[in-house]
Amino acid sequence: MNMPSDLDISRSSPRRSLEEIAAQLGLAPHLLEPYGRDVAKVSLDALEEAGTENRAKYVLVSAITPTPLGEGKTTTTVGLGQALRHLGKTSAVTVRQPSMGPTFGIKGGAAGGGYSQVVPMEALNLHLTGDMHAVTAANNMLAAMVDNHLHKGNRLGLDPRRITWRRVTDVNDRDLRNIVTGLGGNDDGSPHQTGFDITAASEVMAVLALSTSLHDMRARLGRIVVGYTYDGGPVTAEQLGAAGAMTVIMREAIKPNLMQTVENTPVLVHAGPFGNIAHGNSSIVADRIASRCADYVVTEAGFGADMGAERFFNIKCRNSGLSPDAAVLVATVRALKAHSGRFRVVAGKDLPEEMLAENPDDVLAGAANLRKQIDNLRLHGVSPVVAVNAFPSDYASEHQAIRDIAEQAGARVAISTHFSDGGKGAVELAEAVAEAAEEPSRFELLYPDSADLRSKIETIATRVYGAEDVSYEPAAAKALKSYAENGFGSLPVCVAKTHLSLSSNPSLLGAPTGWTLPVRDVRASVGAGFVYPICGDIRTMPGLSSRPAAERIDIDDRGEVVGLS
Amino acid sequence: MNMPSDLDISRSSPRRSLEEIAAQLGLAPHLLEPYGRDVAKVSLDALEEAGTENRAKYVLVSAITPTPLGEGKTTTTVGLGQALRHLGKTSAVTVRQPSMGPTFGIKGGAAGGGYSQVVPMEALNLHLTGDMHAVTAANNMLAAMVDNHLHKGNRLGLDPRRITWRRVTDVNDRDLRNIVTGLGGNDDGSPHQTGFDITAASEVMAVLALSTSLHDMRARLGRIVVGYTYDGGPVTAEQLGAAGAMTVIMREAIKPNLMQTVENTPVLVHAGPFGNIAHGNSSIVADRIASRCADYVVTEAGFGADMGAERFFNIKCRNSGLSPDAAVLVATVRALKAHSGRFRVVAGKDLPEEMLAENPDDVLAGAANLRKQIDNLRLHGVSPVVAVNAFPSDYASEHQAIRDIAEQAGARVAISTHFSDGGKGAVELAEAVAEAAEEPSRFELLYPDSADLRSKIETIATRVYGAEDVSYEPAAAKALKSYAENGFGSLPVCVAKTHLSLSSNPSLLGAPTGWTLPVRDVRASVGAGFVYPICGDIRTMPGLSSRPAAERIDIDDRGEVVGLS
C-alpha cells in the first residue's frame, strides 16, 4: 500500500471553517477567538453557555505497555472520534499539545497520522496559539523572581541550597540540563547550580492541565513551592508576589484550542504536561467544555494504562469530578510480540526481521501484559475495550490471537484500521466503545485523599504495577516525612518510572511479579497538586540526535514547510 | 488635570473591527489573519496586492538626546499618525513590539500613553501574536544545534572557545547573564562559559526587522555566524543545517501585526530589535506594506537622532530602499533643561524640584543638543521638524524658548499636546510635517557600502556624534581586521554606545566636543547585516528591581488584568 505522507494528507484534506466545527458542538461563533485560519481559542464562557450537565460519554484511550516506537494511541484517539460520527453521534477529541522541541529533535511531530490526524499538522506541531510559550514565560519569570529575591535581601529567608524551581525551554538542549548561573560578579546575581527542563516538564504546564478555571489557575500558581527556608518551611510563588503576573501571562493559555481532524471532527488541543514527572493528560478545562457539548468525548492519556490511565483516574478525574464511561486499550501485534520477551525493539531502528513473520504464538506469549492492563482499568470500575491498531504487515491469525486474549479476559475487542482508512476503519471499535459506555458507570478512585503518601504509593505499586513491595531510599523517606509535615499529605501521587515496563525496570516485559519498586526520591508539585516519587532515571530534558530532524525541515520555493513528519 | 490611567483609556476607547482598520489602507479582508479579536497578522501577499509604488510620505520620529525618563517618542509617533487623519490623510503608524521582560520589570508597558496609544495595551505588552517567542525559539534552537554539533563530533572544527552565539529569554533575569552550561557529565554536553541575553537583543530579532521577504529572512538566518573554527573561519547557521528550521519557526513572525490607536488609526507592530547592540527600528516588511497603502507612514527609531535616526537612515533605509521625506525631533522642556547641565535626572525618581520652576533660560542653556540633532537629520538630506512634547507642568515661555532655538536653526517647529488631547493635539505638528514632506527629497546615506569599517565608524563618530577622534583597543582592531578578511567589510555599522549622551560618556550632556570615541571591541551580526563596535558598557540583559512591576500585576475578580501601566 502506498500511503501519502502525513503532511500530504494533512494538506490535501478539505477543511471546514472553525465556526462549522464549533457548530457541531453547539458552540456559538462568539465563543471563538480565531488564531490564524486554522485554530481558534474557545472562550471559557463556553462552560456557562453550554449548561452544567456533563451529558457526554467520557472515553479514555490508553494502551498496553508500549514498545519504544509507540503503539498509535493518538491515531486511535482521533480515529475513534471520527468513527463515532459515522455512528451518527457528535464527538469531540481532546488531546495534549505536542512539545515543539522534539519536533526538531528525533521524533518529528505528534498529530496522529495517516487518515487519523489533527490538521494542519504544522500549526499543531509549531507554536499553535502560543500556550507552550506562555508556560515557558511564566515559569521563567518565577525563576527570575526567585533569584531576584535572593539578590535584593532575601526577606523570606529562602535557603539558596534548597531552591527546587528550575527554568524551562521548549528546545531539546542537553547542555542546559546542569548549569551554574549567577556568575560575573556582584551585579549579576549569585552563583547557583541549577538547570533547564523542557517546557512540558514545568509544573506550570501541569497547573494549566489541572486547573478548572482562571481563578483556580491563579490559586494553584500561588501554591507552587519554589524552595524552602533555612527552617525548612516551603516558600511559594504567592509569597514572592509572582502568582498574579504569572496568571496574566497565562490568561489566554487557559482557553482550549479548537482544531479539526482530517474528517472535520472537532478537536480540543490543550496543555501538554510531561508523562514522566507529571500526569501526562490534556486539560480539564477542555474536557469539561467538551463534556457539556458532545455525545462522546474521546481523550488520551500518555504511556500505558498503568501510568497514563492510572493518573487519568486518580489525578485528573479526582480534580475534575468527571467520571469515565469506558476506556480503550490500544494493542498492537508488535507490542504483544515484544512482551513475549523473544525480541528486542529499539527506538529509531527497524523491527527485527523475525518479528515480522506470521506467528500468532509470539503474540499469545505476550498476553500477560494485555491482561494486566485490562485488570488495571477494571480496578477503577471502568469497562475496557481492546483496540487492535492494525498495521499493513500484520496477519489475520495474529489479530485473532489478540482477540482471543481479550475475550478470554472478558473484554470487548475490535480491529481498527483508522490509520489507513480514517473513521470508517474504526467503526467496529466505535460500536464496542458505545456498548461499553452504556453499561452503568462503576468508576471509583483507587485511594482516598486521606490515605497517607506511603500508602498511596504502595497501593499503586502493588495493585496497578504488580509489585511485591516498595523500598524507600533515605532521601525519599525524608522527603515524605517533610511533605506530611508541610501539609502536602493529602495530595495524590504521580509515580515517575519507566513507561516501557509495568515495573520500574524497562527490560522487564510482560507482567513482572515478585519485584520491589525502589523510590529514590520524592518531589512535590504542590501547585499542580500531586507528589511524585522518582523510581529510576527520569530525564526532563531531551537532547538532539546526530542528525536532528531540524536539519531536514525548511521552506520550499513557495514558502511552504517541508521535512516535517 | 485628572487624566484616567493608560489602561483605563485603552479599555474605554471604542474599537473598530480590524477589517475596518485595514480598509483604511485598502487592505482587503482576505489579507488578514486574526489572532484573537484585537490583533491580526497581515499576509505578505499584501506587498503584491498593494502594487509596487511607494506612494506614502515616509516620516521618521526621532528625538533629541533623552533623559533616563524618555521624552515621549512613541506617544508622539501615535499622536502624529492620528493627527494626519484630522488633516484628511490616510496614515499608518509602524512601531516596534515591546519586550515582555521589562513589562514585569521596572518599566511597565510600551504602547504610547494617554490619548496617543496603541490598543489594547495588554495585547501589545504581553504575547501579541507570539513573534517574540518565535525569535526566542529560533535563537535557542540554533544554540542547541551549536552545542549538539560539538557533542556529536564537531565535523566543522568549531573552536569551543570562540562560540559567539548566546541563548535568549524575554525575562529580566540577571542571573542568566553569565553562566556555565554543559555540566553533569558525558551525556550532558561539555562545559562552556556563555549566557543569556534578552530576546530583543538576539540577532534573530534584527534579522526579522531587516528582512524584506520570507526568502530574504531564510538567507539572512543562514548567514548568521555562530562562532569560528580553529583556523579562524566563520561557522554559519547554514553550515549547521539550522537555518531552514529557524525559518519554519519564524514563518508566521515575518507577517506584521495590525492593531489600532485609541482613535482607530492603523498601526503595524512588527519586530523589536534592541536599541543598543542592534538598530532599534521596527520592520522593513511593515514599512514596505504601509508605504504602498497610506498617504503617510509614521515610524519611530529608538533613542536620540544620533543613534536611532542614524541607524534608520544608514541601516534600515539602506536595506529597504525606502527614502524618508521628513523627520520629527521630539524635544521636551525637561530634556532641554537637563542638557543645560544644571540638574540631575535619575530613572525611577521624581524630577528635581528646581527643574519644575518656570525658567526659559534653563531651556536655552540646553540648546546645543537640539541644534546638533537637527544637523544630524540635515546631514542625511532630511527636513527636520521639532515637536515639543508638551507636559501639563510646562510654561508657555519655556515652549517659546524651544521654538526660538528650532527656528534659529531653520527647522519647523510645533507644540504638541497629543498625550492629553490625542490627534487633535498634534494637528499643528502634522501640518508642519506635511509641509516638510512636500519639499523635494534629498535623502542620502552617510557612507557607501564600499568604505572600510574604520572609515564608517569614524564618519559616524565625527560627523554625527561630534567626536574629535576614535580610538581602538587591541581587541577591536583585531576584530576589524578579521571581519575585513572574512568578507564582512561591506556591512554598515551600528555603534553600541550610551543613548544618554551624544558622546560615549553618559554624563556629558549638551553637545560635547573634543572627545574621543573609545571602541572597546567590535562584534558582527552578519545575518542581520551590520557590524557593531562596542563603546562602553552595554547591557544585553536587564535585571529586576527591588519591587518589580510583576508584584503589582494580577487579575481581578472578573479576570481582567490590573496593575499594567
Side-chain angles (χ1 to χ4, degrees):
Chain A
M1 189 180 54
N2 269 324
M3 288 267 294
S5 76
D6 286 355
L7 189 55
D8 287 340
I9 292 173
S10 172
R11 292 241 171 91
S12 62
S13 72
R15 250 167 261 161
R16 301 240 176 96
S17 77
L18 291 165
E19 284 77 6
E20 288 176 88
I21 301 298
Q24 291 181 37
L25 302 178
L27 292 171
H30 73 272
L31 294 169
L32 301 185
E33 299 169 11
Y35 275 67
R37 306 222 172 267
D38 301 311
V39 193
K41 280 209 169 275
V42 179
S43 162
L44 296 197
D45 293 345
L47 276 171
E48 278 102 63
E49 299 195 16
T52 52
E53 190 207 350
N54 294 318
R55 66 180 191 81
K57 295 292 182 185
Y58 192 31
V59 180
L60 174 70
V61 176
S62 187
I64 66 169
T65 301
T67 69
L69 310 176
E71 307 318 312
K73 227 163 34 238
T74 307
T75 55
T76 305
T77 305
V78 172
L80 173 58
Q82 294 180 151
L84 285 159
R85 292 179 64 219
H86 290 259
L87 302 188
K89 307 291 185 184
T90 60
S91 75
V93 170
T94 63
V95 291
R96 284 171 290 169
Q97 178 182 356
S99 205
M100 202 164 82
T103 300
F104 297 100
I106 194 174
K107 181 163 168 276
Y115 290 95
S116 289
Q117 55 170 312
V118 183
V119 291
M121 63 127 65
E122 303 96 299
L124 185 70
N125 284 310
L126 298 174
H127 312 280
L128 199 65
T129 60
D131 299 346
M132 202 68 87
H133 296 312
V135 169
T136 305
N139 182 101
N140 291 350
M141 199 188 61
L142 178 56
M145 289 182 78
V146 168
D147 283 354
N148 192 56
H149 187 83
L150 293 180
H151 191 70
K152 298 288 186 184
N154 197 8
R155 180 177 48 85
L156 297 170
L158 179 61
D159 183 345
R161 301 160 307 176
R162 295 198 64 197
I163 296 172
T164 50
W165 197 250
R166 290 161 58 92
R167 293 174 178 79
V168 299
T169 180
D170 194 11
V171 176
N172 285 17
D173 192 341
R174 72 169 66 72
D175 282 71
L176 290 179
R177 284 175 193 153
N178 300 288
I179 69 174
V180 172
T181 57
L183 302 171
N186 277 353
D187 290 344
D188 301 323
S190 52
H192 299 305
Q193 190 167 336
T194 180
F196 278 70
D197 299 320
I198 195 156
T199 299
S202 169
E203 181 177 347
V204 177
M205 181 59 91
V207 165
L208 178 65
L210 288 168
S211 294
T212 54
S213 69
L214 180 65
H215 287 97
D216 181 51
M217 182 172 77
R218 169 70 183 75
R220 285 174 194 263
L221 291 171
R223 291 198 294 269
I224 285 175
V225 172
V226 300
Y228 295 86
T229 63
Y230 289 104
D231 302 335
V235 173
T236 64
E238 194 66 57
Q239 287 174 285
L240 290 166
M246 291 171 77
T247 306
V248 167
I249 292 174
M250 305 268 296
R251 202 170 59 116
E252 302 302 317
I254 186 73
K255 303 173 188 168
N257 305 290
L258 180 66
M259 297 184 73
Q260 60 189 292
T261 74
V262 285
E263 294 185 9
N264 314 118
T265 300
V267 182
L268 290 174
V269 181
H270 201 210
F274 227 36
N276 38 22
I277 62 156
H279 63 300
N281 281 227
S282 59
S283 88
I284 283 178
V285 164
D287 285 8
R288 280 198 166 181
I289 292 175
S291 291
R292 295 172 190 190
C293 302
D295 298 331
Y296 281 85
V297 175
V298 183
T299 191
E300 178 197 3
F303 302 156
D306 54 318
M307 300 189 68
E310 186 276 312
R311 294 151 171 190
F312 172 81
F313 298 138
N314 295 301
I315 300 177
K316 187 175 177 183
C317 292
R318 187 185 298 264
N319 273 275
S320 72
L322 293 173
S323 177
D325 296 289
V328 172
L329 267 184
V330 177
T332 58
V333 167
R334 73 179 179 203
L336 278 156
K337 285 186 176 180
H339 281 296
S340 72
R342 297 173 181 171
F343 310 99
R344 192 152 170 272
V345 180
V346 180
K349 299 232 166 119
D350 287 341
L351 289 177
E353 196 66 42
E354 323 82 80
M355 246 177 120
L356 298 172
E358 177 170 5
N359 195 343
D361 183 58
D362 287 340
V363 175
L364 293 171
N369 188 272
L370 174 54
R371 279 196 296 260
K372 176 64 178 147
Q373 300 288 29
I374 290 172
D375 287 346
N376 284 339
L377 300 178
R378 287 229 181 85
L379 196 56
H380 296 86
V382 176
S383 297
V385 178
V386 175
V388 180
N389 181 16
F391 284 55
S393 54
D394 293 349
Y395 295 91
S397 62
E398 298 175 330
H399 288 166
Q400 187 58 45
I402 304 180
R403 202 183 272 277
D404 291 345
I405 301 164
E407 286 176 351
Q408 276 159 28
R412 289 181 176 82
V413 59
I415 315 295
S416 190
T417 59
H418 50 270
F419 185 88
S420 40
D421 298 329
K424 73 174 187 293
V427 165
E428 184 195 352
L429 174 61
E431 286 168 340
V433 165
E435 256 183 47
E438 284 309 318
E439 293 181 1
S441 173
R442 291 173 294 115
F443 173 63
E444 56 185 346
L445 299 171
L446 192 62
Y447 53 81
D449 291 351
S450 59
D452 68 26
L453 292 170
R454 278 183 186 242
S455 116
K456 287 170 185 167
I457 296 168
E458 285 153 24
T459 300
I460 296 171
T462 56
R463 299 195 62 195
V464 179
Y465 303 160
E468 189 167 304
D469 203 359
V470 178
S471 69
Y472 300 89
E473 301 229 353
K478 194 175 155 200
L480 284 170
K481 186 160 168 289
S482 88
Y483 294 154
E485 285 164 6
N486 282 320
F488 312 153
S490 62
L491 297 174
V493 299
C494 179
V495 179
K497 71 162 186 73
T498 179
H499 64 288
L500 297 173
S501 171
L502 276 159
S503 78
S504 56
N505 176 351
S507 65
L508 297 182
L509 298 168
T513 53
W515 56 280
T516 295
L517 182 75
V519 181
R520 187 160 58 76
D521 197 0
V522 186
R523 302 200 188 132
S525 284
V526 180
F530 54 79
V531 165
Y532 57 105
I534 311 279
C535 309
D537 270 345
I538 301 299
R539 188 144 272 184
T540 52
M541 171 56 90
L544 291 170
S545 63
S546 301
R547 304 306 307 265
E551 294 182 0
R552 300 184 296 275
I553 295 171
D554 207 331
I555 54 164
D556 64 15
D557 289 348
R558 292 165 306 136
E560 297 291 340
V561 177
V562 293
L564 206 60
S565 62
Chain B
M1 187 180 55
N2 269 327
M3 288 267 293
S5 76
D6 287 355
L7 188 55
D8 286 340
I9 293 173
S10 171
R11 292 241 172 93
S12 61
S13 71
R15 248 165 262 162
R16 301 239 176 96
S17 76
L18 291 165
E19 283 77 9
E20 287 176 88
I21 301 298
Q24 292 180 37
L25 302 178
L27 292 171
H30 74 272
L31 295 170
L32 301 185
E33 298 169 11
Y35 274 67
R37 305 222 173 267
D38 302 310
V39 193
K41 281 209 168 275
V42 179
S43 161
L44 296 196
D45 292 344
L47 277 170
E48 278 103 62
E49 299 194 16
T52 53
E53 190 206 352
N54 294 318
R55 67 181 192 79
K57 296 290 183 187
Y58 192 32
V59 180
L60 175 71
V61 176
S62 186
I64 68 169
T65 302
T67 69
L69 310 176
E71 305 319 311
K73 226 164 36 243
T74 308
T75 56
T76 307
T77 305
V78 172
L80 173 58
Q82 293 180 153
L84 285 160
R85 292 179 64 217
H86 291 257
L87 303 188
K89 307 290 185 185
T90 60
S91 75
V93 170
T94 63
V95 291
R96 285 171 290 170
Q97 178 181 358
S99 205
M100 202 163 83
T103 300
F104 297 99
I106 194 172
K107 183 163 170 274
Y115 291 96
S116 290
Q117 58 170 311
V118 182
V119 292
M121 61 128 66
E122 303 97 298
L124 185 69
N125 285 309
L126 296 174
H127 311 279
L128 200 65
T129 58
D131 298 347
M132 202 68 88
H133 296 311
V135 169
T136 305
N139 181 103
N140 291 351
M141 198 187 62
L142 178 55
M145 288 181 79
V146 169
D147 284 353
N148 192 55
H149 188 82
L150 293 180
H151 190 70
K152 297 288 186 183
N154 198 8
R155 178 177 48 88
L156 296 170
L158 180 61
D159 183 345
R161 301 160 308 176
R162 297 198 62 200
I163 295 172
T164 50
W165 196 250
R166 289 161 58 91
R167 291 173 180 83
V168 299
T169 180
D170 194 10
V171 176
N172 286 16
D173 193 340
R174 70 169 66 74
D175 282 71
L176 290 179
R177 285 174 192 151
N178 301 288
I179 69 174
V180 172
T181 57
L183 301 171
N186 277 354
D187 289 344
D188 301 325
S190 51
H192 299 305
Q193 192 167 335
T194 181
F196 278 71
D197 299 321
I198 196 157
T199 299
S202 169
E203 182 177 348
V204 176
M205 181 60 90
V207 166
L208 178 64
L210 288 168
S211 294
T212 54
S213 69
L214 180 66
H215 287 97
D216 181 50
M217 181 171 78
R218 169 70 183 76
R220 285 176 195 262
L221 290 172
R223 290 197 294 267
I224 286 175
V225 173
V226 299
Y228 296 85
T229 62
Y230 290 104
D231 301 336
V235 174
T236 64
E238 193 67 57
Q239 287 174 284
L240 289 167
M246 292 171 77
T247 306
V248 167
I249 292 175
M250 307 267 296
R251 203 170 59 117
E252 302 302 318
I254 185 74
K255 303 173 187 168
N257 305 290
L258 180 67
M259 296 183 73
Q260 60 189 294
T261 74
V262 284
E263 295 185 6
N264 314 117
T265 302
V267 181
L268 290 174
V269 181
H270 201 207
F274 227 34
N276 39 21
I277 62 155
H279 65 300
N281 280 230
S282 60
S283 87
I284 284 178
V285 164
D287 286 9
R288 281 198 165 179
I289 291 175
S291 292
R292 294 172 190 190
C293 302
D295 297 333
Y296 282 84
V297 175
V298 184
T299 191
E300 178 197 4
F303 302 156
D306 54 317
M307 300 189 69
E310 185 275 311
R311 294 152 172 190
F312 172 80
F313 299 139
N314 295 302
I315 300 178
K316 186 175 176 181
C317 292
R318 188 186 298 263
N319 273 275
S320 71
L322 293 173
S323 176
D325 297 288
V328 172
L329 267 184
V330 177
T332 58
V333 167
R334 74 178 180 203
L336 278 155
K337 285 186 175 178
H339 281 295
S340 72
R342 296 172 183 173
F343 310 98
R344 190 151 171 274
V345 180
V346 180
K349 299 229 167 125
D350 287 342
L351 289 177
E353 196 66 41
E354 324 83 81
M355 245 178 122
L356 297 172
E358 178 169 8
N359 195 342
D361 184 57
D362 287 342
V363 174
L364 293 171
N369 188 272
L370 175 54
R371 279 197 295 263
K372 177 61 180 151
Q373 300 287 29
I374 290 172
D375 287 348
N376 284 340
L377 299 178
R378 287 228 179 83
L379 195 56
H380 296 86
V382 176
S383 297
V385 179
V386 175
V388 181
N389 180 16
F391 284 54
S393 55
D394 293 350
Y395 295 92
S397 63
E398 298 176 332
H399 287 167
Q400 187 59 45
I402 304 181
R403 202 182 273 279
D404 292 346
I405 302 164
E407 285 175 352
Q408 276 159 29
R412 290 181 176 82
V413 61
I415 316 293
S416 191
T417 60
H418 51 269
F419 185 87
S420 41
D421 299 329
K424 71 176 189 293
V427 165
E428 184 196 351
L429 174 61
E431 286 168 342
V433 165
E435 256 182 49
E438 284 308 319
E439 292 181 4
S441 172
R442 291 173 294 113
F443 173 64
E444 55 184 348
L445 299 171
L446 191 63
Y447 52 80
D449 291 351
S450 60
D452 68 27
L453 291 169
R454 277 181 187 244
S455 117
K456 288 171 185 166
I457 297 169
E458 285 152 25
T459 299
I460 295 171
T462 56
R463 300 194 64 195
V464 178
Y465 303 160
E468 191 166 303
D469 203 359
V470 178
S471 69
Y472 299 90
E473 300 225 358
K478 194 174 156 201
L480 284 170
K481 186 160 168 288
S482 88
Y483 293 154
E485 287 165 2
N486 282 320
F488 312 152
S490 61
L491 296 174
V493 299
C494 179
V495 179
K497 71 163 184 73
T498 178
H499 64 288
L500 297 171
S501 171
L502 276 159
S503 78
S504 56
N505 177 351
S507 64
L508 297 181
L509 298 168
T513 53
W515 56 280
T516 295
L517 181 75
V519 180
R520 187 161 58 77
D521 196 359
V522 186
R523 303 200 187 133
S525 284
V526 181
F530 53 79
V531 164
Y532 58 105
I534 310 280
C535 309
D537 270 344
I538 301 299
R539 189 144 272 184
T540 49
M541 171 56 89
L544 292 170
S545 64
S546 300
R547 306 303 311 264
E551 295 182 1
R552 300 185 296 276
I553 296 171
D554 208 332
I555 53 164
D556 65 14
D557 288 347
R558 292 166 306 134
E560 296 291 338
V561 177
V562 294
L564 205 60
S565 63

